[in-house]
Amino acid sequence: MTLLGVVGLAVPGVGQLAAGLVGGFVAGYVAGGGAGRGAWHGLLAGSLGGILVALIFGVAVSALGAVGLGPLGPVLGGGVFLVGVVIALTMGLESALAGALGAWIAGK
């Protein structure tokens, strides 16, 4: 999925969407076990990178904010992390749908 995402940068929008769909489909197909399980694994495949980036940004904002803002720094960092996770999960929805389809096809 990462390789397709990098290659997909050459075709803005469509390339990234195709990478998410292919990655989610493969994750769901490999996971098998029904559409729900495939959707879960597709969602994880599509949003894991964004969740890790949100974690890194959240920790960095907490550390830097604690120096300048005192006790409000970690609160701000937690907010950055939470917003990043919501965005990552939203962006992973197409991967979840493709994962459900992949698991459904694997079950046939």
Side-chain angles (χ1 to χ4, degrees):
M1 188 168 173
T2 302
L3 180 62
L4 282 175
V6 170
V7 172
L9 289 173
V11 184
V14 177
Q16 296 298 313
L17 178 64
L21 290 174
V22 170
F25 181 83
V26 170
Y29 188 83
V30 170
R37 181 176 163 97
W40 173 249
H41 287 280
L43 180 67
L44 288 177
S47 61
L48 187 60
I51 292 172
L52 291 176
V53 169
L55 178 65
I56 291 168
F57 279 154
V59 169
V61 169
S62 293
L64 294 174
V67 173
L69 298 174
L72 292 179
V75 173
L76 183 63
V80 167
F81 172 69
L82 189 62
V83 168
V85 167
V86 168
I87 291 171
L89 291 175
T90 302
M91 298 298 285
L93 288 178
E94 84 273 357
S95 297
L97 292 174
L101 179 65
W104 181 71
I105 289 175
K108 285 194 159 216

